[in-house]
Amino acid sequence: MEYDTKTPQPYTSDPKSFASDSVRKRWPVILTQAIDDVYRSTSVATNPEAQAEGKKIVAQLAALKYEVQHDRELTPLTDDGFTDEINAYNKEVEELGKITNDGNPPKWFNVPWLFSECYMYRRMSTFFKTSQHWKSYDVFARQKMDTFRSSRSAVLELASKYREITQQLRDNKEATHNPEAEKLLFSEMFEICLWGNATDLSLLTNLTYEDIQKLQGAEARKAAEANILVNDLPRAYEILKKAQAEGKKERQVDIVLDNAGFELYVDLILAGYLLSSGLATHVVLRPKSIPWFVSDVLPSDFSALLSVVANPRALYETPSDDEKLQEKTPEPLSDAAESDLQFLFAEWAQFHAEGQLILRPNRYWTAGGSYWRLPKENPELLEELKPSELVIFKGDLNYRKLTGDAWWDPTTPFTEALGPMGPASGVNVLSLRTCKADVVVGLPPGKDEELKATEGGGGDSGARKWAWNGKWAVVCLSEGH
């Protein structure tokens, strides 16, 4: 806490903050889904010890849900083998109690939003890690794969477009040497990555070097860009292009991952594009180490996705649980679609085998505090990030952690809100974020007020409700070298 910004943070007690809704409505639902998932897995377990442990975990999850719903105290975490992590969480619980509850442990309805949400997922992890048969169980894995299955049309469309682009690059087609087309394609790839939204296929329609400059592509791009409130992608492109032009032998891009499923698929498409186009020579993917914020990427999600792409019929032609209940048969996958996905698998597998696509977890990503603490608490990780041409932080939680999840004035420069992770850190930080929380910085004067005045935007309530639903996005860059 000593390294945090002095700007106040949203608390779960503040009705103007999305934190208040989260603790009272969202988190009990998430815990209920986790209970249902473990109950389902326990009911089909054949090992009596695993069954008994599963029932115990269900009871622990139910107790946590009760504590959240009834504003009970946050209890110390049980040591699950990662003693330093547990001690850090428990020390913060103790210190927050001194601030919020006269020295008693803090209560769920009056605690900083960021820490309490991290604490909830870290506590859930202890239930599994302290068991014998459930140590590596991902309580959210079922949901992650369901989102990928439901994104079928976008998955296939993107695979086809990616293959076309890659083959154009390999054939050294004249169109790939058009500077304007290259710049537009870069923006389009990153914008698909930003939204990670399988329902919006408009961005995929013109994803080739030739089509991207046509009027229809420009219109689709303009429509998507209208909701990006801050867009530093042109500056990010120049950083990578300059390093390429200077002939730097190693040009690394890091992606601090967010969601699994379709979004991880899009992240891998982006990584493949950066490597194939020569804008990067290495891409380092940085997943979480424990199930986190429901859908965050674990190393196991990476291997699960590769398995699906290698053998897509196994997923797409096998009825889901819902389809079985409705006696529906999935539409068969075409030979062309299967070929496109297997092309992707071959590409990614080769990049991985040659050390150009690297998976590098670090347990610091699931610490309880903001990245304002990173330079002091994990200087080794900071040194790992410094040589990268760009460190791309995906998603809302990473943005909250970068900015200290604080009530900044919305016109505060992004570089200032980063604190120790700003320009002085030596890291080139690029945040791709669709807004799903209170904090937002870097806006022009008057923009926050304008958006609050829109329908459902918060109005005179003082709440920044326009920033809660993922409709708006920011792409923010801080240059550290």
Side-chain angles (χ1 to χ4, degrees):
M1 293 171 70
E2 62 184 303
Y3 307 122
D4 292 347
T5 173
K6 300 301 179 250
T7 304
Q9 292 184 51
Y11 268 63
T12 53
S13 53
D14 186 351
K16 297 193 300 297
S17 170
F18 194 30
S20 178
D21 268 17
S22 295
V23 71
R24 289 164 176 80
K25 297 175 184 175
R26 288 175 53 240
W27 300 351
V29 170
I30 289 166
L31 289 163
T32 299
Q33 290 169 340
I35 291 165
D36 291 346
D37 180 273
V38 179
Y39 180 83
R40 283 175 67 183
S41 294
T42 302
S43 66
V44 296
T46 54
N47 183 313
E49 290 180 8
Q51 278 188 339
E53 284 188 336
K55 289 175 182 176
K56 179 184 176 183
I57 292 168
V58 166
Q60 289 172 312
L61 290 167
L64 175 57
K65 177 185 168 185
Y66 180 89
E67 290 170 26
V68 172
Q69 288 182 303
H70 294 86
D71 192 25
R72 296 296 192 256
E73 294 176 347
L74 276 68
T75 57
L77 299 180
T78 303
D79 192 336
D80 58 4
F82 297 95
T83 306
D84 289 347
E85 282 179 30
I86 296 294
N87 288 344
Y89 268 96
N90 289 343
K91 182 183 177 187
E92 190 142 354
V93 168
E94 186 181 341
E95 291 184 2
L96 285 170
K98 294 173 186 174
I99 298 169
T100 64
N101 199 20
D102 297 326
N104 298 308
K107 292 188 173 183
W108 281 100
F109 289 1
N110 185 29
V111 71
W113 180 10
L114 179 63
F115 176 77
S116 56
E117 196 162 9
C118 292
Y119 166 92
M120 182 179 82
Y121 287 101
R122 189 63 186 85
R123 182 160 157 203
M124 290 171 72
S125 179
T126 66
F127 303 158
F128 297 92
K129 291 294 183 193
T130 53
S131 73
Q132 287 300 312
H133 299 276
W134 298 75
K135 283 186 188 296
S136 59
Y137 186 80
D138 180 2
V139 69
F140 304 120
R142 228 185 295 257
Q143 292 181 57
K144 295 174 186 176
M145 197 46 74
D146 284 349
T147 64
F148 187 74
R149 178 196 283 270
S150 67
S151 310
R152 171 174 167 159
S153 55
V155 166
L156 301 183
E157 179 81 16
L158 199 46
S160 171
K161 296 293 186 184
Y162 175 84
R163 185 176 190 175
E164 193 175 339
I165 291 164
T166 305
Q167 288 176 336
Q168 286 180 329
L169 286 163
R170 285 196 183 143
D171 296 340
N172 205 21
K173 289 275 180 72
E174 189 178 335
T176 65
H177 297 288
N178 181 319
E180 192 58 27
E182 187 179 52
K183 194 181 295 185
L184 289 172
L185 187 62
F186 175 89
S187 291
E188 196 110 338
M189 280 287 189
F190 269 81
E191 284 169 28
I192 292 168
C193 205
L194 164 69
W195 295 109
N197 182 354
T199 58
D200 183 9
L201 295 180
S202 62
L203 284 172
L204 309 183
T205 311
N206 306 281
L207 202 63
T208 65
Y209 279 95
E210 290 87 0
D211 292 346
I212 201 163
Q213 296 175 92
K214 293 178 182 173
L215 181 62
Q216 188 184 354
E219 286 174 354
R221 198 161 46 254
K222 192 174 180 182
E225 287 178 352
N227 283 25
I228 304 177
L229 302 171
V230 180
N231 193 348
D232 288 335
L233 280 178
R235 288 172 55 207
Y237 175 75
E238 291 307 323
I239 287 174
L240 297 184
K241 203 65 193 161
K242 182 170 178 282
Q244 185 183 28
E246 289 172 353
K248 286 181 72 171
K249 192 175 178 184
E250 294 211 349
R251 302 184 306 283
Q252 180 174 310
V253 171
D254 288 55
I255 306 178
V256 182
L257 298 166
D258 186 27
N259 295 326
F262 180 73
E263 193 172 321
L264 175 60
Y265 175 78
V266 175
D267 292 339
L268 286 167
I269 291 277
L270 176 67
Y273 159 72
L274 291 172
L275 293 169
S276 297
S277 64
L279 287 169
T281 59
H282 299 81
V283 175
V284 179
L285 303 172
R286 296 186 176 271
K288 307 300 188 298
S289 302
I290 61 172
W292 190 248
F293 281 65
V294 181
S295 51
D296 278 38
V297 178
L298 302 176
S300 55
D301 295 316
F302 180 72
S303 47
L305 182 60
L306 286 183
S307 296
V308 168
V309 174
N311 182 19
R313 291 189 191 276
L315 177 74
Y316 287 127
E317 294 187 0
T318 303
S320 66
D321 291 343
D322 286 345
E323 286 168 334
K324 286 175 187 173
L325 287 171
Q326 296 168 31
E327 297 183 347
K328 286 185 177 178
T329 303
E331 183 185 343
L333 204 62
S334 70
D335 290 343
E338 182 181 39
S339 173
D340 288 339
L341 285 168
Q342 289 175 339
F343 174 85
L344 270 188
F345 172 76
E347 284 274 296
W348 295 343
Q350 185 176 351
F351 284 138
H352 192 50
E354 293 178 356
Q356 289 184 275
L357 188 61
I358 303 155
L359 202 64
R360 193 171 290 161
N362 190 300
R363 295 194 66 88
Y364 192 75
W365 302 124
T366 51
S370 79
Y371 299 151
W372 276 57
R373 306 175 182 183
L374 192 156
K376 294 288 188 184
E377 290 185 345
N378 200 327
E380 299 84 5
L381 178 57
L382 184 70
E383 291 305 312
E384 273 187 43
L385 300 176
K386 281 182 180 180
S388 188
E389 303 301 329
L390 274 182
V391 180
I392 302 166
F393 287 85
K394 291 287 308 294
D396 188 72
L397 176 62
N398 275 322
Y399 183 93
R400 288 171 61 196
K401 285 202 163 202
L402 282 167
T403 58
D405 199 37
W407 285 113
W408 298 102
D409 184 293
T411 62
T412 305
F414 179 62
T415 50
E416 181 182 329
L418 292 182
M421 284 298 289
S425 68
V427 178
N428 282 345
V429 172
L430 180 70
S431 174
L432 303 184
R433 182 241 189 163
T434 53
C435 302
K436 297 173 186 172
D438 303 311
V439 60
V440 65
V441 295
L443 298 187
K447 191 66 181 179
D448 181 46
E449 292 78 6
E450 176 191 322
L451 292 170
K452 279 181 179 172
T454 60
E455 186 178 352
D460 296 329
S461 68
R464 189 174 285 137
K465 290 187 178 180
W466 66 262
W468 296 358
N469 57 21
K471 178 183 177 182
W472 302 93
V474 291
V475 181
C476 301
L477 176 68
S478 170
E479 295 186 54
H481 59 85

